[in-house]
Amino acid sequence: MTKTSPISANWNYPTAVKVGAGRIRELAGICQSLQMKRPLLITDPGLAPLPMVLNAVDACRSAGLACAVFSKIKGNPTGQNVTDGVSAYRAGHHDGVIAFGGGSALDAAKAVALMVGQDRPLWDFEDVGDNYLRVNVAGMAPVVAVPTTAGTGSEVGRASVITDDAAHVKRIIFHARMLPSVVILDPELTVGLPSKLTAATGMDALSHNLEAYCSPFYHPMASGIALEGIRHVQEWLPLAVQDGHNIDARLHMMVASTMGATAFQRGLGAMHALAHPLGALYDAHHGMLNAVLMPYVLQANRTAIEDRITSLARYLDLPQPSFTAFLDWVLALREKIGIPHALSALGIDAAQVELVARMAIVDGSAGTNPIPFTESEYAGIFRNAVTGTI
């Protein structure tokens, strides 16, 4: 019989977001406010030995919390990673989760917090139909999210993207209460992020805002958030890549990331429909995939989004605002911050084009692309992205 957490009904909704340099020092108090006594800090293996994690754990322990660390997570987290995290949570008799790191750690941590109170397998909660109704909500653990990158926005997301190794596919695990209780956006935690990862994660934030803005679904508030999120990326991403110690740039990119994930409840699109299978098949960085795919998907969607993109170009104050002006800005931004022009630079060729196209057309993000692409059209976009043909 699955043991449920005694404090599962006590965490706060909606999410509270703590923004600003040094806010990480509030972590222990936030955990205590959620009645956590034995939090499990879930992070990736690269961060686990770093001072930012060690200091957070020490602060929690100094406040009387029995905090432990779990870090067995891949760059594209797998179902096995989640299972191992659940085992660690139960073995340590934990009562809450601190999700600490980039999108991989945050997604894995949210999935662990969901699964600690379930008696069904993870894939039973894939975001298909009404699978979310299967969740034993009372058994879910509360989550404090502490992002250390500015891109995925997983800290304000109600889902986790987890790789099913057996099927070589990424699956979206969803429940509304996967939304973390409290988020800490502390730009000091992103200062050490290398410029290459700053660029890739920043372009991921752009992809979320941009695809949400282009979605055919009606959600004017999400559209407005996406518009301003794109402007944040325009103004601050080059500075964050150029000078990783620029706290203002780091902070505004964290905000842009959170805005993108807030906006994409309006929907995503073909960038993500292709990035998900490519990430599962090639274990490539999700943000980098979106960054490389971006201009090819924009061009493929042109007939449906040209007027909207022209308005966006005007909002960004681009010279002679038009679809072409915006596409040229994307290409110039990518070149400036070191994003490769083609998927071939990431070691991806077109050998599996038919499989990628089949996977893309059934991906959850495909349903909100401005144009309902066929399998053949997805194959064409993928080939263009491999060869660099816009």
Side-chain angles (χ1 to χ4, degrees):
M1 182 175 179
T2 302
K3 181 180 178 180
T4 59
S5 168
I7 50 82
S8 60
N10 294 331
W11 71 90
N12 300 324
Y13 285 93
T15 295
V17 182
K18 312 289 187 178
V19 183
R23 299 300 292 266
I24 187 59
R25 289 189 284 274
E26 300 175 29
L27 176 60
I30 289 169
C31 290
Q32 289 171 327
S33 74
L34 298 172
Q35 301 181 40
M36 293 186 196
K37 295 180 179 179
R38 303 183 63 85
L40 178 64
L41 189 151
I42 298 180
T43 190
D44 66 67
L47 287 183
L50 296 185
M52 68 172 73
V53 171
L54 299 177
N55 291 341
V57 172
D58 286 345
C60 287
R61 290 174 177 169
S62 296
L65 303 178
C67 184
V69 176
F70 172 79
S71 63
K72 295 179 181 178
I73 298 170
K74 294 181 64 177
N76 288 295
T78 66
Q80 187 60 52
N81 294 155
V82 175
T83 298
D84 291 344
V86 170
S87 296
Y89 185 98
R90 291 173 176 166
H93 304 287
H94 295 288
D95 55 10
V97 168
I98 300 170
F100 200 115
S104 299
L106 299 185
D107 275 11
K110 291 191 300 180
V112 169
L114 167 72
M115 291 303 297
V116 295
Q118 312 307 317
D119 55 11
R120 305 177 69 118
L122 177 66
W123 309 130
D124 278 8
F125 307 112
E126 184 178 5
D127 188 18
V128 175
D130 60 359
N131 281 354
Y132 68 94
L133 295 175
R134 298 171 169 176
V135 171
N136 171 19
V137 176
M140 296 173 67
V143 178
V144 179
V146 185
T148 61
T149 64
T152 69
S154 182
E155 66 274 5
V156 291
R158 300 168 296 172
S160 294
V161 181
I162 306 295
T163 299
D164 180 345
D165 272 345
H168 300 289
V169 64
K170 286 191 172 186
R171 303 190 188 278
I172 298 174
I173 308 303
F174 168 83
H175 193 276
R177 290 215 169 188
M178 290 177 72
L179 188 71
S181 308
V182 181
V183 175
I184 299 175
L185 296 185
D186 187 338
E188 292 181 351
L189 300 179
T190 68
V191 165
L193 195 68
S195 59
K196 181 179 178 181
L197 283 176
T198 299
T201 54
M203 290 296 289
D204 196 24
L206 177 58
S207 74
H208 294 156
N209 282 289
L210 182 55
E211 290 209 296
Y213 177 74
C214 292
S215 166
F217 279 21
Y218 181 75
H219 196 314
M221 288 181 289
S223 181
I225 292 169
L227 195 65
E228 183 62 8
I230 295 168
R231 191 193 64 77
H232 270 61
V233 173
Q234 177 195 32
E235 183 172 354
W236 297 104
L237 179 55
L239 292 172
V241 173
Q242 179 184 351
D243 177 10
H245 293 275
N246 186 322
I247 291 295
D248 285 341
R250 291 293 195 182
L251 176 60
H252 282 91
M253 281 308 302
M254 294 192 91
V255 171
S257 173
T258 299
M259 292 174 79
T262 302
F264 71 53
Q265 61 185 298
R266 191 173 188 238
L268 290 168
M271 290 179 219
H272 282 77
L274 284 164
H276 287 153
L278 291 174
L281 294 170
Y282 295 93
D283 200 23
H285 187 275
H286 175 73
M288 184 63 76
L289 289 170
N290 279 323
V292 176
L293 289 163
M294 187 173 294
Y296 307 100
V297 172
L298 278 169
Q299 185 65 37
N301 277 324
R302 181 168 185 163
T303 58
I305 64 174
E306 185 152 11
D307 289 346
R308 200 173 311 170
I309 292 296
T310 298
S311 296
L312 171 58
R314 189 174 297 114
Y315 185 79
L316 298 178
D317 200 24
L318 299 180
Q320 300 180 323
S322 63
F323 179 92
T324 299
F326 181 77
L327 181 60
D328 288 345
W329 171 75
V330 168
L331 293 171
L333 174 64
R334 295 197 320 163
E335 183 175 5
K336 184 173 185 177
I337 63 176
I339 300 296
H341 183 63
L343 289 174
S344 56
L346 306 182
I348 297 175
D349 58 28
Q352 299 192 77
V353 60
E354 290 85 3
L355 175 59
V356 170
R358 287 197 304 272
M359 294 171 72
I361 201 171
V362 298
D363 186 87
S365 301
T368 48
N369 192 66
I371 297 173
F373 291 137
T374 63
E375 220 174 275
S376 175
E377 287 169 324
Y378 271 113
I381 297 168
F382 177 49
R383 288 192 186 95
N384 288 340
V386 169
T387 61
T389 304
I390 297 178

